[in-house]
Amino acid sequence: MAGRIPQQFIDELVNRVDIVDVIDARVPLRKAGRDYVARCPFHEEKSPSFTVSPAKQFYHCFGCGAHGTVLSFLMNYEHMEFLEAVRELAAKAGMELPQSASHGGNDGPSHQPLYAILEQAAEFFRQQLRAHPQAIAYLKQRGLTGATAAEFAIGFAPPGWDNLLQALGKTPGEQARLLEAGLVIKKDRNGYYDRFRNRVMFPIRDRRGRVIAFGGRVLDQNDTPKYLNSPETPVFHKGKELYGLFEAQKALRHLDRVLVVEGYMDVVALAQHDVRYAVATLGTATTTDHIERLFRLTPEIIFCFDGDRAGRDAARRALETLLPAMREGRNARFLFLPEGEDPDSLIRKTDKHHFEEEIAQSVSFSTFFYENLTRQADISSIEGRARLVELARPGLSKLSAGVLKHMMMIRLAELSQLGTDVVARSLGMPSPRTGSGKAAQTGAQRPGTAARRRPNKTPVRAGIELLLNTPRLAAAAGQAKRWENLDIPGLTLFIGLLELLQAHPHLHSGAILERWRGTPEGHYLAEMAKWEPLLPEESLELEFRGVVQWLDTELAKQRHDQLNAKWQREGLTPSEREEFLELQRSYTATGGAAPH
């Protein structure tokens, strides 16, 4: 949730800032009844389906499903971390951030010296580049301009064992920080020596532009290893970071797609030729963290590999990692370059136009998935088609349920020449053709219907929706703790929401959602915040009182059953007997059958 920031501060912040003002400053809105609308900033569309509710302080797109609070919008649109979004809104509202949150949030104040020493090292390497003509000559030979080298802050680690150590490690404390930052290595006995020597240096930046690590490339092709990366440190985790992502986001506010390549020079060379959406993994295969991070920024990821066998093997490993993350609205493609070429060499031989023509010929996720399987099974035979179905099982089982998975199963049915129901049964999965109504078959709904239709809505869910969308109703419920021993799904959340709003009646929907940020209940509430009540406002209280009455009836049933069991077991006191008979009379009065 809010981490180091007091919840009271978050409540006050989201109540002071108007979500309409924040979004309208970035995405022009127009009034439409009680709400505001625009074309969604998170996906391409021709007509507006993005709605902002000033009453709820909540946004929702009926097209792609994006939704959230004012903090969520800044995090998704501006690619901010939670603490950054809080800082941004606090500055807008004229609020001073609490002392506990003013020194880096999740990074913690102890990491600031690491960022400082890494930045000093980056500056040292930049200065050394200017002082070493052989390094400049190498970059020129690779076709880089001074402007590109400056943008990516490229530097040079000179030959020698202790150049950086002598410059930045004069005291034991500084030497300890250099070691913690991965810039020096401890000797077997006493002392340290530089990790990077005689290498072109590429600073690796986090999403805020802070230097967190380095990659170093040799000048001489005969030296090994060709690339050397910083080790894992408190501020650098190579399985989560991507080289060039900060520069790509700085150059392009919105990333329509991201090209994942293998080398730092690939990223830099592509950027110089105005292909500004390339990033590179850091000496590791693409991880789930990489993929999820990229899909939060862009709807399409293109994986770029060499066209040889090693490239194909790497692509298959990327496909395996990609499978659990794929669903409708997310696209992935695989680009295989001509043998002997990498993005750096190809872009220098051609130009942006020809390189992007190569991208246009890349293979879609679904095509690559089945191409790999059909290479292992001869689908011209019955046995081969049966094997294809078995080979597809592990991959399809990793896909999230939804339209994409259904379409992948339909394609498998076509390739295996089986009916879709037969394929589904053999895989132990629901048939792609099952479902009720046209919307269930296509996976689509008319904009707005998803937020209004709530089949099989329980009274507790109805109560949560009503409270979330009309918080003032909490005053009509009375003491919520009377229901806490009822065993009803969702009741704990309903009681928690009710008690929150009775204690803080000024909270709107957006502030409520911030209370549950980062929890499973928060996701559940955010989905319900999309709902728009069709009843007039004066009828909402009657509906809510109906929920309260239903819960009180369930409570009476529970008490009746407890007394009935005690009567059978040991008898009742006079007062308990009177209570039991009164409960039976209430059942009769309401037309119910009295339990016995």
Side-chain angles (χ1 to χ4, degrees):
M1 300 235 298
R4 294 169 176 253
I5 305 175
Q7 188 61 58
Q8 184 179 359
F9 182 86
I10 299 295
D11 290 345
E12 179 66 20
L13 179 63
V14 295
N15 271 296
R16 276 202 202 183
V17 177
D18 187 352
I19 192 173
V20 174
D21 292 340
V22 173
I23 295 180
D24 188 50
R26 295 159 174 83
V27 181
L29 301 172
R30 66 175 177 82
K31 195 83 164 63
R34 293 180 302 175
D35 297 331
Y36 292 81
V37 298
R39 283 200 292 270
C40 181
F42 302 115
H43 81 289
E44 293 293 328
E45 62 178 4
K46 294 181 179 179
S47 57
S49 62
F50 182 79
T51 302
V52 182
S53 168
K56 297 180 186 178
Q57 292 291 296
F58 183 80
Y59 71 86
H60 172 227
C61 176
F62 291 106
C64 69
H67 61 271
T69 66
V70 64
L71 284 167
S72 302
F73 181 83
L74 286 182
M75 293 167 70
N76 293 322
Y77 185 80
E78 300 283 6
H79 312 306
M80 294 180 176
E81 299 290 351
F82 177 77
L83 184 57
E84 290 178 280
V86 170
R87 283 198 183 106
E88 174 86 6
L89 291 185
K92 178 180 176 65
M95 296 174 64
E96 186 174 347
L97 210 62
Q99 188 67 28
S100 60
S102 62
H103 295 293
N106 293 335
D107 298 325
S110 63
H111 292 167
Q112 293 309 310
L114 283 185
Y115 291 121
I117 202 78
L118 285 159
E119 189 58 54
Q120 291 170 36
E123 178 58 30
F124 171 81
F125 294 139
R126 284 194 292 270
Q127 292 172 359
Q128 292 299 311
L129 176 64
R130 292 191 287 269
H132 288 80
Q134 74 272 29
I136 295 174
Y138 170 80
L139 294 177
K140 287 182 176 179
Q141 179 261 323
R142 297 298 298 266
L144 294 190
T145 65
T148 300
E151 179 186 352
F152 284 85
I154 295 172
F156 181 65
W161 291 98
D162 61 358
N163 292 290
L164 182 67
L165 188 64
Q166 290 293 328
L168 302 181
K170 293 183 172 61
T171 69
E174 290 172 340
Q175 292 167 9
R177 281 195 290 275
L178 287 170
L179 180 66
E180 189 178 13
L183 292 167
V184 299
I185 298 172
K186 192 173 182 61
K187 294 179 181 178
D188 290 338
R189 295 180 180 177
N190 293 326
Y192 306 89
Y193 62 93
D194 291 353
R195 179 180 296 275
F196 300 100
R197 303 177 303 280
N198 198 29
R199 289 176 180 270
V200 174
M201 298 298 291
F202 299 85
I204 299 165
R205 292 162 162 161
D206 67 8
R207 60 182 314 282
R208 292 170 60 181
R210 298 175 298 190
V211 177
I212 56 174
F214 292 91
R217 192 195 190 285
V218 297
L219 294 182
D220 186 344
Q221 295 285 355
N222 296 320
D223 289 345
T224 56
K226 181 179 177 182
Y227 280 103
L228 179 65
N229 292 320
S230 293
E232 298 270 316
T233 73
V235 298
F236 174 58
H237 307 284
K238 64 183 179 181
K240 295 184 177 181
E241 301 297 337
L242 291 155
Y243 178 73
L245 184 56
F246 170 75
E247 289 80 5
Q249 289 183 257
K250 189 175 178 182
L252 303 171
R253 174 177 285 276
H254 300 296
L255 293 170
D256 295 324
R257 56 185 175 180
V258 168
L259 180 71
V260 180
V261 297
E262 294 185 280
Y264 304 127
M265 281 301 300
D266 294 327
V267 173
V268 176
L270 289 169
Q272 181 161 301
H273 288 80
D274 200 32
V275 179
R276 300 308 311 255
Y277 46 86
V279 301
T281 55
L282 305 172
T284 182
T286 308
T287 67
T288 301
D289 285 332
H290 289 145
I291 289 169
E292 287 296 343
R293 183 175 182 185
L294 288 176
F295 271 136
R296 286 195 293 270
L297 302 175
T298 182
E300 183 172 57
I301 304 174
I302 304 157
F303 296 93
C304 182
F305 298 99
D306 296 341
D308 57 13
R309 180 174 178 177
R312 291 273 172 179
D313 289 344
R316 280 190 285 272
R317 290 193 294 272
L319 177 70
E320 286 296 314
T321 307
L322 182 66
L323 280 164
M326 288 301 294
R327 54 179 178 267
E328 50 271 22
R330 292 180 169 186
N331 297 322
R333 303 186 68 83
F334 293 83
L335 171 63
F336 297 98
L337 298 181
E339 191 167 348
E341 299 285 5
D342 57 28
D344 175 22
S345 64
L346 188 60
I347 195 74
R348 285 191 285 137
K349 287 179 183 177
T350 57
D351 56 24
K352 177 183 179 179
H353 173 72
H354 287 89
F355 189 85
E356 290 191 327
E357 282 187 342
E358 291 281 346
I359 292 177
Q361 300 302 312
S362 59
V363 181
S364 71
F365 160 79
S366 57
T367 300
F368 186 59
F369 178 85
Y370 283 116
E371 275 184 358
N372 275 300
L373 300 185
T374 53
R375 286 194 181 97
Q376 303 171 58
D378 177 14
I379 61 173
S380 64
S381 69
I382 292 174
E383 294 83 359
R385 292 194 293 274
R387 175 168 166 74
L388 175 67
V389 174
E390 284 306 306
L391 289 172
R393 181 195 301 272
L396 293 179
S397 68
K398 293 178 182 178
L399 288 174
S400 301
V403 174
L404 177 64
K405 184 171 186 174
H406 282 189
M407 294 181 75
M408 292 287 285
M409 291 174 65
I410 290 170
R411 178 58 178 153
L412 178 60
E414 293 169 353
L415 291 169
S416 62
Q417 299 180 27
L418 292 171
T420 53
D421 291 343
V422 175
V423 168
R425 282 197 300 273
S426 68
L427 296 177
M429 300 177 187
S431 171
R433 302 203 186 280
T434 59
S436 57
K438 184 176 180 181
Q441 294 172 9
T442 63
Q445 286 185 320
R446 185 173 57 83
T449 58
R452 290 177 167 82
R453 294 177 183 170
R454 289 289 184 268
N456 304 320
K457 187 196 302 184
T458 67
V460 170
R461 178 177 180 129
I464 294 172
E465 286 181 346
L466 286 163
L467 284 175
L468 185 58
N469 288 276
T470 315
R472 64 174 179 79
L473 295 175
Q479 176 59 255
K481 284 194 179 297
R482 66 185 187 273
W483 302 312
E484 63 184 358
N485 292 323
L486 287 174
D487 185 15
I488 299 174
L491 186 58
T492 300
L493 178 57
F494 176 77
I495 291 173
L497 185 57
L498 194 58
E499 291 180 333
L500 171 67
L501 293 174
Q502 288 175 342
H504 304 281
H506 63 286
L507 296 182
H508 51 59
S509 305
I512 294 169
L513 294 175
E514 289 301 334
R515 286 277 183 148
W516 273 272
R517 172 176 290 280
T519 67
E521 294 85 357
H523 176 75
Y524 185 69
L525 289 171
E527 287 297 316
M528 285 192 284
K530 302 174 186 177
W531 174 67
E532 291 290 345
L534 298 178
L535 294 172
E537 191 164 340
E538 58 273 15
S539 300
L540 295 179
E541 187 168 343
L542 289 175
E543 185 174 354
F544 184 71
R545 288 186 183 277
V547 172
V548 171
Q549 183 178 359
W550 181 85
L551 285 170
D552 283 339
T553 300
E554 291 300 303
L555 186 64
K557 287 179 183 178
Q558 182 188 74
R559 178 60 175 162
H560 180 280
D561 292 344
Q562 290 170 347
L563 291 173
N564 190 33
K566 185 180 179 185
W567 194 349
Q568 301 296 328
R569 188 175 62 252
E570 60 189 78
L572 300 176
T573 66
S575 61
E576 287 174 337
R577 180 179 175 81
E578 180 58 34
E579 182 185 1
F580 179 72
L581 294 173
E582 180 60 34
L583 287 170
Q584 285 197 318
R585 283 193 292 271
S586 70
Y587 278 113
T588 304
T590 56
H596 32 134

